[in-house]
Amino acid sequence: GIQVEQSPPDLILQEGANSTLRCNFSDSVNNLQWFHQNPWGQLINLFYIPSGTKQNGRLSATTVATERYSLLYISSSQTTDSGVYFCAAAPRDSNYQLIWGAGTKLIIKP
Amino acid sequence: KAGVTQTPRYLIKTRGQQVTLSCSPISGHRSVSWYQQTPGQGLQFLFEYFSETQRNKGNFPGRFSGRQFSNSRSEMNVSTLELGDSALYLCASSPHGSTGELFFGEGSRLTVL
């Protein structure tokens, strides 16, 4: 089955810094989603991005489906950006569950 | 538009007991998916309900079950609790299905003693 890998696994930055999180997937996908899990456990939907680029404030995401990767950019990091970022892919050959990456744990220091 | 509501948020049970968790999806969403999250195993798909029917199921024992009502609210039940069932249980609402755009509730954190 499809494999979804995220890098880096951990990232520690100072407030104000920019970061790029990567999600690689081993096979074709129908869609790709990015989520932020806050310290209280809630998963927040950031982007639903099968291909192309989307932006939402300080966050943007790009998926290059033909090369099987997606990137999440966070600019001017704030302490509230801390948490775990997950990507999840919907495989082309399965229509019932997403395949999740292991996550990138981001810590933003004041 | 109200988000996904999960209740209870926190609960403590003992081994052998059973537990029922509730999830109210976003209005108009007919799909509800349930996930278990543990530190060691990450996010694991439990099952999906769509229009009152279980459409998909993950690899969990029969002690884990669920249902969906006509108003799309869903419940999941775990019987004969084990220590390893301690986890964060997350519910996701979607207009299209378990592989579509998902919107999660705040989760129910279960501790089994």
Side-chain angles (χ1 to χ4, degrees), chain B residues 27-95:
Chain B
S27 177
H29 288 191
R30 292 189 293 166
S31 170
V32 173
S33 300
W34 288 90
Y35 284 83
Q36 181 196 66
Q37 187 179 31
T38 58
Q41 296 296 317
L43 276 152
Q44 301 291 316
F45 175 78
L46 281 155
F47 31 64
E48 180 208 2
Y49 284 86
F50 189 93
S51 294
E52 301 180 64
T53 301
Q54 186 182 87
R55 194 158 69 169
N56 298 300
K57 191 177 191 305
N59 188 24
F60 277 82
R63 300 186 297 108
F64 292 81
S65 62
R67 58 179 174 168
Q68 188 179 33
F69 302 95
S70 58
N71 61 358
S72 292
R73 188 178 72 87
S74 178
E75 290 181 346
M76 68 161 283
N77 183 277
V78 188
S79 62
T80 319
L81 284 166
E82 301 176 359
L83 295 178
D85 296 332
S86 295
L88 179 66
Y89 290 88
L90 292 159
C91 161
S93 165
S94 172

Side-chain angles (χ1 to χ4, degrees), chain A residues 31 33 35 37 39-43 45 47-48 86 90-91 94-98 100, chain B residues 9 35 37 43 45 48 56-58 88 90 98-106 109:
Chain A
N31 69 65
Q33 300 181 58
F35 298 89
Q37 188 165 39
W40 296 271
Q42 185 174 11
L43 276 163
N45 183 307
F47 294 102
Y48 177 87
F86 291 98
S94 168
N95 65 351
Y96 85 96
Q97 67 168 298
L98 297 177
W100 292 76
Chain B
R9 292 288 314 284
Y35 284 83
Q37 187 179 31
L43 276 152
F45 175 78
E48 180 208 2
N56 298 300
K57 191 177 191 305
L88 179 66
L90 292 159
S98 56
T99 58
E101 191 171 13
L102 299 184
F103 300 89
F104 283 86
E106 293 179 293
R109 194 171 294 277

Side-chain angles (χ1 to χ4, degrees), chain A residues 39-109:
Chain A
W40 296 271
Q42 185 174 11
L43 276 163
I44 308 296
N45 183 307
L46 296 176
F47 294 102
Y48 177 87
I49 183 166
S51 63
T53 297
K54 289 187 177 180
Q55 180 152 11
N56 184 4
R58 297 180 296 103
L59 274 61
S60 64
T62 295
T63 296
V64 184
T66 53
E67 297 187 20
R68 299 179 184 169
Y69 73 88
S70 184
L71 302 173
L72 178 68
Y73 305 95
I74 305 174
S75 65
S76 304
S77 297
Q78 300 175 357
T79 55
T80 52
D81 294 331
S82 295
V84 182
Y85 290 80
F86 291 98
C87 66
R92 283 267 171 93
D93 63 355
S94 168
N95 65 351
Y96 85 96
Q97 67 168 298
L98 297 177
I99 306 302
W100 292 76
T104 292
K105 185 174 182 180
L106 176 64
I107 297 174
I108 304 297
K109 294 188 171 183

Side-chain angles (χ1 to χ4, degrees), chain A residues 3-17:
Chain A
Q3 305 291 319
V4 177
E5 296 181 350
Q6 292 187 242
S7 60
D10 300 279
L11 190 57
I12 301 174
L13 299 171
Q14 289 295 134
E15 201 168 20

